[in-house]
Amino acid sequence: MSRSCLPLTLDKVSFVASGTALLSDLSLTIAPMRRLIVMGANGAGKSVLLRLCHGLLDPSSGRRIWANGEARAQQQAMVFQRPVLLRRSVAANLDYPLAVAGLSRAARRARVEQTLARFGLERISDQPARQLSGGQQQRLALARAWSVSPQILFLDEPTAALDPYATRVIEEMILQFAEEGITIMMSTHDLGQARRLAQDVAFLHRGQLLEHRPAAEFLEAPQTREARAFLSGDLIW
Amino acid sequence: MDGPFVTALDLILRADSVLMQIIGLSLRVTLSAVAIACLIGLPLGAGLALTRFPGRGAVIVLFNALMGLPPVVAGLAVYLLLSRSGPLGALDLLFTPSAMILAQTVLILPIVVSLTRSVVEDLWTEYGDQLLSLGADRARAMPTLLWDGRVSLLTGVLAGFGRASAEVGAVLIVGGNIAGHTRTMTTAITLETTRGNLDLAIALGIVLLGLTLTLNALAWSIGQWARVQLG
Amino acid sequence: MMMRAFGHVLAFCAAMLTPTTLTAQEWITLSSTTSVENSGLFDHVLPIFTRDTGIEVRVVTQGTGQALETARRGDADVVLVHARELEEQFVAEGYGVARHDVMSNEFVIIGPATDPANLREARTAAEAMRSIAQARLRFVSRGDDSGTHIAEQRLWAEAGIVPVGRQYLSTGSGMGAALNIAVQLDAHVLSDRGTWLSFANRGDHDILFEGDPALFNPYGIILVNPDRHPHVRAAEGRVFIDWMLSPAGQEAIGGFRIGPSRPFIPVRREAR
């Protein structure tokens, strides 16, 4: 294993698309072994921030700095609101990122079996992934993310399309991942979920980072008017 | 019309050797052409879908337009290419099954390329972020998307097969309709009709129709099955 | 890895395109006319030749004009056609080695059996053609520079008629196709006897005029000049031509029958 890619630092990062600034002048350090929840209203820039950290987007200005100096860290993964599973079996979906990473056939098989066992997916390993229920699909997406041994896992509103039971299952998985030492950076607009999962909160408003503090402090005593309004459920524009 | 139909069915049921030979050659030529068109067209279409370069739009328009290329024009082009007086005359391929394969490949390739491009482009819209996230770049994504689009692509490949097996203009010009050598179902139908010899023509027509029906049934069933199985 | 995969693809394509008939058997390409092919003569004669010599003959069937053009381009080894002037021109231009008379048949005028133009009463072919035109009856022309088409144009010229108008249908098709059209449209048509005899879809049509020496239809056989096209299979082509002119070949031609009729007359008297 190479040395840790964390912390990840964003230095005065902006992201502009078609003339609109979706993120402006944002500086943020993502500390290792923490669960960071990104909060904010729809359109605040949560998704863009996660994609930018993950490397799917590049900053229009400013810098994204991994601690080990890589341009794009190898040991990271992302789970989307709607997981895109390949039109293949559950096992083949787990195999895919390992094959992309260049693992040998034997190593892949071992890792896939380990992952199937770890998440109780053995029974459905041959089933077409797209046939699974929404909750199961998201579970598989998390298992796939876990299988590549990420140091940091980005999750973009992973439970927004799920029912309460499936949401619980996913949240438990995320907490387990964190206990295993995986750094979590996740967006949500669900306050209850933030209370259950967050150690730190980053609050975005119109592409600007207004607060970045330990969760307890933020949730009890938000310092900005926008955050207070958001937490009390008021619409602010 | 009672007579020719009865004779035709008899030819089919007896597995008449001339009839079988013609069917065998037709299938060999068309399947080879489909295989070559896929080997070239699938990567080419996927490449067109996933890359951006100057003139890309023109290339896409060209392949779309070539889908409507009249078979006789394709045949004429390949004829001029392979004729002894043409640039590839030394290969001695004119009036051989190989020439027919080449002509039909020219006919099918645009279908495969255009369809592949459109399927892969749509899939990339859906998969792009996820695949990049999993560490696959666009080149690595090509086989992934081709495999995940396999059902849609199969429909297009079958369309190509249908076009090639039904056409007569190209194979007639470059194959020469030589008995026992380059005579396919469609050229034989043409010849036997002009001979006023309708039995064999009808028998071949029935086989061709049956083949087309089977292929379409197959394509439809695979599509249905895939919708259920693959989601 | 990309390059290797590409190599495999190329090798596969090459394998697909390689002729599978690379056997020891020798063969020639014969460019000939629809009137011969449609009559079924080749089905009778060529197996005998192949059995005697081991040389396969691959026949590409076109109108005489196109058949000569194919040979001009070097895409055939031997031509067997029926338009003497064009054949002599072909040889004179250096594309052919020499022209040999090989066989003949005759043209006949086909029309509705009711004979609306009284062709059965006509004394010469030209008179028959004139009757069709004067009665304003339909005539189907091959219109494809074939030997039959050229013969038809000669007959019109002898009759002093310029064939134009709505009743004159230039179809640009082979002999059999033209017969099909004529039968369907109740029209007259000039055909060689062999194709007509072997034609199965005659409807109510019949031979209305025959026997005029002007309807004589000689076939010539020519080896494509290897000086012009070095790849021509000249040796095998010579074997074929010599055989066709030999007693064996001539007897094979004379032995071809459709029902009781002999559609082609070999040039050798003793084979007749």
Side-chain angles (χ1 to χ4, degrees):
Chain A
M1 293 282 147
S2 53
R3 66 200 176 86
S4 174
C5 58
L6 293 167
L8 167 63
T9 307
L10 299 185
D11 179 25
K12 294 195 165 72
V13 159
S14 296
F15 183 78
V16 181
S18 327
T20 312
L22 299 179
L23 293 179
S24 355
D25 206 22
L26 189 150
S27 293
L28 173 68
T29 298
I30 295 147
M33 314 281 243
R34 298 284 290 180
R35 302 190 301 270
L36 170 64
I37 300 293
V38 182
M39 303 197 73
N42 285 335
K46 304 191 294 289
S47 205
V48 174
L49 177 60
L50 287 172
R51 280 158 200 264
L52 196 136
C53 288
H54 186 42
L56 292 178
L57 302 174
D58 287 322
S60 309
S61 64
R63 291 187 303 158
R64 174 183 57 214
I65 305 153
W66 294 97
N68 62 358
E70 285 180 296
R72 180 162 188 248
Q74 294 296 312
Q75 290 178 304
Q76 53 166 337
M78 181 157 176
V79 170
F80 298 83
Q81 182 178 337
R82 291 188 174 281
V84 177
L85 297 174
L86 303 175
R87 288 180 171 80
R88 308 171 191 197
S89 70
V90 167
N93 268 278
L94 293 175
D95 181 70
Y96 184 78
L98 305 174
V100 169
L103 267 66
S104 73
R105 198 173 286 267
R108 269 150 53 196
R109 189 180 307 127
R111 186 62 176 164
V112 167
E113 269 168 28
Q114 192 186 355
T115 309
L116 289 169
R118 162 79 168 72
F119 296 95
L121 298 169
E122 298 109 318
R123 234 173 10 87
I124 56 167
S125 69
D126 291 332
Q127 269 190 36
R130 295 255 177 161
Q131 262 192 341
L132 304 177
S133 69
Q136 276 183 311
Q137 291 202 16
Q138 196 59 293
R139 244 178 87 212
L140 176 56
L142 269 123
R144 180 171 65 184
W146 179 86
S147 74
V148 300
S149 314
Q151 290 182 9
I152 181 167
L153 175 61
F154 300 95
L155 300 109
D156 188 7
E157 304 199 21
T159 62
L162 301 181
D163 62 33
Y165 172 74
T167 301
R168 279 273 302 283
V169 171
I170 299 299
E171 285 181 9
E172 277 165 24
M173 287 175 80
I174 294 168
L175 286 171
Q176 277 171 23
F177 288 2
E179 269 173 39
E180 289 173 25
I182 300 173
T183 305
I184 302 290
M185 181 177 182
M186 167 173 158
S187 68
T188 183
H189 54 233
D190 177 346
L191 260 178
Q193 187 164 59
R195 282 182 208 286
R196 291 191 292 276
L197 297 182
Q199 289 175 315
D200 300 315
V201 169
F203 178 71
L204 287 183
H205 179 67
R206 293 191 192 172
Q208 290 186 311
L209 179 67
L210 295 190
E211 303 201 30
H212 177 208
R213 295 194 294 137
E217 282 179 32
F218 175 81
L219 294 170
E220 293 313 313
Q223 291 192 331
T224 54
R225 188 176 62 84
E226 290 84 356
R228 277 195 295 276
F230 176 77
L231 289 176
S232 62
D234 292 342
L235 287 176
I236 42 167
W237 295 104
Chain B
M1 289 306 281
D2 187 57
F5 268 111
V6 174
T7 326
L9 286 175
D10 184 53
L11 282 174
I12 295 170
L13 295 176
R14 278 194 292 114
D16 177 78
S17 65
V18 172
L19 183 73
M20 291 305 132
Q21 199 266 332
I22 291 173
I23 295 172
L25 178 72
S26 302
L27 290 178
R28 190 192 132 209
V29 166
T30 303
L31 287 174
S32 305
V34 168
I36 294 175
C38 286
L39 279 174
I40 302 170
L42 291 175
L44 192 60
L48 267 178
L50 297 180
T51 54
R52 298 289 178 271
F53 55 89
R56 175 175 173 271
V59 175
I60 290 172
V61 168
L62 179 71
F63 274 110
N64 282 342
L66 284 177
M67 283 202 288
L69 182 73
V72 284
V73 176
L76 182 63
V78 174
Y79 173 79
L80 292 174
L81 197 67
L82 295 183
S83 166
R84 278 295 185 171
S85 304
L88 297 183
L91 296 178
D92 199 13
L93 286 179
L94 192 65
F95 303 142
T96 66
S98 307
M100 303 197 288
I101 293 172
L102 191 63
Q104 292 202 336
T105 304
V106 170
L107 283 180
I108 306 171
L109 187 62
I111 299 180
V112 176
V113 170
S114 295
L115 185 94
T116 304
R117 183 196 54 78
S118 122
V119 165
V120 170
E121 233 170 48
D122 287 352
L123 276 179
W124 179 252
T125 313
E126 185 192 345
Y127 284 37
D129 275 349
Q130 181 76 70
L131 292 184
L132 291 173
S133 166
L134 293 176
D137 56 14
R138 283 168 184 259
R140 182 63 181 79
M142 257 168 61
T144 310
L145 295 176
L146 285 175
W147 181 244
D148 267 50
R150 57 196 179 275
V151 176
S152 313
L153 292 174
L154 186 67
T155 317
V157 170
L158 285 175
F161 183 90
R163 173 158 154 96
S165 63
E167 73 87 21
V168 60
V171 285
L172 188 60
I173 294 177
V174 303
N177 190 26
I178 298 169
H181 186 60
T182 58
R183 185 161 296 171
T184 65
M185 289 197 263
T186 53
T187 60
I189 289 173
T190 309
L191 174 68
E192 297 304 332
T193 306
T194 63
R195 268 179 171 172
N197 185 2
L198 299 185
D199 322 344
L200 190 57
I202 292 173
L204 288 165
I206 291 172
V207 172
L208 206 50
L209 205 62
L211 195 68
T212 311
L213 275 173
T214 311
L215 276 174
N216 278 287
L218 203 65
W220 187 80
S221 313
I222 291 174
Q224 291 295 311
W225 176 84
R227 250 177 283 288
V228 175
Q229 286 297 309
L230 304 174
Chain C
M1 206 191 89
M2 274 302 245
M3 284 313 289
R4 214 181 56 190
F6 187 64
H8 285 319
V9 170
L10 276 187
F12 176 81
C13 295
M16 285 287 196
L17 286 171
T18 305
T20 50
T21 43
L22 281 176
T23 52
Q25 201 188 19
E26 302 161 293
W27 54 275
I28 56 169
T29 302
L30 171 66
S31 177
S32 187
T33 70
T34 59
S35 56
V36 184
E37 167 82 12
N38 287 1
S39 72
L41 176 73
F42 286 139
D43 295 340
H44 172 77
V45 170
L46 295 184
I48 302 174
F49 170 71
T50 303
R51 195 195 60 207
D52 285 2
T53 62
I55 299 173
E56 183 196 349
V57 182
R58 297 180 182 168
V59 185
V60 178
T61 304
Q62 297 158 333
T64 290
Q66 198 191 347
L68 287 171
E69 180 58 28
T70 299
R72 252 190 201 97
R73 297 184 62 93
D75 294 326
D77 304 309
V78 178
V79 269
L80 173 59
V81 291
H82 61 132
R84 182 170 269 161
E85 279 177 29
L86 292 183
E87 293 160 36
E88 281 163 359
Q89 187 191 342
F90 179 79
V91 173
E93 287 168 359
Y95 291 104
V97 174
R99 178 191 177 283
H100 307 275
D101 274 316
V102 60
M103 63 188 186
S104 67
N105 69 358
E106 48 175 354
F107 292 115
V108 293
I109 302 177
I110 310 289
T114 52
D115 194 13
N118 275 323
L119 298 191
R120 291 191 178 106
E121 312 291 315
R123 281 163 299 147
T124 67
E127 191 185 320
M129 298 296 267
R130 204 177 301 122
S131 309
I132 297 169
Q134 280 167 355
R136 301 197 176 281
L137 294 167
R138 274 201 194 125
F139 188 92
V140 170
S141 170
R142 291 277 297 276
D144 63 350
D145 288 337
S146 60
T148 310
H149 183 213
I150 291 162
E152 175 212 318
Q153 288 172 317
R154 182 166 43 77
L155 291 177
W156 286 123
E158 281 171 24
I161 285 172
V162 180
V164 287
R166 287 179 50 196
Q167 300 296 74
Y168 183 76
L169 311 174
S170 179
T171 59
S173 53
M175 194 64 253
L179 285 173
N180 267 329
I181 296 168
V183 167
Q184 293 306 317
L185 296 181
D186 249 359
H188 294 82
V189 60
L190 183 73
S191 171
D192 66 286
R193 185 187 294 277
T195 304
W196 173 250
L197 286 174
S198 68
F199 186 69
N201 187 28
R202 294 184 193 177
D204 288 328
H205 273 48
D206 211 343
I207 295 178
L208 299 183
F209 184 86
E210 59 188 322
D212 184 332
L215 295 178
F216 181 66
N217 178 26
Y219 284 80
I221 193 166
I222 306 171
L223 179 70
V224 176
N225 195 343
D227 294 342
R228 182 74 72 146
H229 292 293
H231 58 267
V232 162
R233 294 172 180 83
E236 295 90 335
R238 278 204 185 86
V239 171
F240 177 62
I241 292 174
D242 290 347
W243 184 87
M244 285 292 274
L245 302 175
S246 76
Q250 293 283 298
E251 262 164 41
I253 295 168
F256 173 55
R257 283 187 164 70
I258 301 173
S261 318
R262 284 205 316 180
F264 293 96
I265 316 294
V267 283
R268 268 177 179 265
R269 288 187 183 283
E270 58 271 29
R272 289 183 189 175

